[in-house]
Amino acid sequence: MIVGVGAVVLIIGACVLRSAAAIRVAVFIGPLFGCFAVGILGGWPPAATTVLVCVLPLGCLLFAGRRTALRQAVPWLTRGSLTPEAPWLGVATVVLSAAALTAWALVVRPEPPEYMSELQRLPLWLAILGIVAFALVNPVWEEMLFRGVLLTELASVWGVRAAVVLQAVLFGAAHFAGFPSGPVGMIMAGVWGFVLGVMRVRSGGILITYLVHVTANAVIGTLAVLILR
C-alpha cells in the first residue's frame, strides 16, 4: 500500500514539475506497481502477475522513448559489454551468495515459505524447472528498476558512486519480506545489489547483471529446495 501511494505521488510530482527525469521514472514505475496492485488485489496467479509486470512497464518505457524529451531513458536498457573482470566477479557473486544462503539455512533452519513447500512436493526435476523459469523472468523487472532506472537517474543527480550505494540500499529494503527475510535478508540482498551495481557501471549495461542475477536465483532456489526439507 505504501509503495503504491509512493508511486502515485511520484507520477503526480512528475506531471507538476514537468521534469524529464521524473517523467521517465514515472513512466516505468507507475505501470510497474500498477501491475503488482492489479495482480495482488485481483487474486491473479503469481505467474500471470510476474509476466504482466515484466511486459507492460517495458512496453510503456519503449513507447516513451520515442518522445525526444524522454529518449534518455534508452540507456536504462543498454546491453553493455563484457569486461575482463565480469566472468570471475559473476562466478564469485553466485558462489558466495549460494554459500551465504546455505550457511544461513543450516544454522537457522527456517520454516520454508509456502511457495517453497509447494515446490518441494513436486518431483525434483519439475521443481528445478519451475525455479529456473522464475529465475529467468523475475530479474527482468528488478534489473530494469534498480540497475536501470534508479542507478541511472540517481547517478545523474548525485554521481555514480552514491547511485551504486543508494540503489543497493533500496534493493536490500525491497527484500525485507523475501527469503531470507528481515534484517539478514536485507543485508544479504543489499550486498548483492551493490556488486550488481558495480558490474552495471563497469559493463555499461544491464545484460551482465541480468545473467548473473538469473544464475544466482536459479542456484539459490535449487539449494533452498534441497536444504529446507
Side-chain angles (χ1 to χ4, degrees):
M1 179 63 72
I2 295 176
V3 174
V5 171
V8 172
V9 171
L10 173 64
I11 295 171
I12 294 175
C15 294
V16 172
L17 296 175
R18 295 187 178 181
S19 162
I23 293 174
R24 287 195 299 270
V25 175
V27 163
F28 181 81
I29 291 182
L32 177 69
F33 289 110
C35 291
F36 271 122
V38 169
I40 294 172
L41 297 177
W44 290 18
T49 302
T50 302
V51 170
L52 182 64
V53 163
C54 291
V55 172
L56 184 58
L58 176 60
C60 292
L61 184 60
L62 293 175
F63 179 78
R66 297 181 178 181
R67 301 289 299 273
T68 302
L70 303 179
R71 199 162 291 160
Q72 292 181 25
V74 174
W76 298 350
L77 308 177
T78 302
R79 289 179 297 177
S81 58
L82 182 65
T83 58
E85 75 279 3
W88 67 261
L89 188 56
V91 171
T93 302
V94 173
V95 171
L96 291 177
S97 299
L101 175 76
T102 301
W104 172 80
L106 292 176
V107 171
V108 178
R109 287 294 178 182
E111 186 70 23
E114 183 178 351
Y115 66 87
M116 192 67 66
S117 299
E118 292 178 358
L119 287 173
Q120 290 172 339
R121 286 192 286 268
L122 298 174
L124 182 59
W125 70 269
L126 189 57
I128 293 177
L129 183 63
I131 291 168
V132 171
F134 177 80
L136 287 169
V137 175
N138 189 64
V140 171
W141 72 267
E142 287 194 343
E143 290 307 313
M144 285 195 297
L145 174 59
F146 292 99
R147 260 66 65 184
V149 177
L150 293 178
L151 196 154
T152 303
E153 297 298 344
L154 288 172
S156 68
V157 178
W158 287 305
V160 173
R161 292 183 179 180
V164 171
V165 173
L166 287 172
Q167 65 83 30
V169 172
L170 293 171
F171 187 69
H175 287 76
F176 180 81
F179 183 80
S181 61
V184 173
M186 289 177 61
I187 293 172
M188 292 174 66
V191 172
W192 187 21
F194 178 81
V195 175
L196 291 175
V198 171
M199 295 183 71
R200 161 68 173 86
V201 172
R202 295 282 295 174
S203 67
I206 61 173
L207 179 59
I208 296 298
T209 63
Y210 169 76
L211 293 176
V212 173
H213 199 153
V214 168
T215 305
N217 273 4
V219 172
I220 290 172
T222 301
L223 286 174
V225 169
L226 295 174
I227 294 172
L228 301 178
R229 287 185 176 273

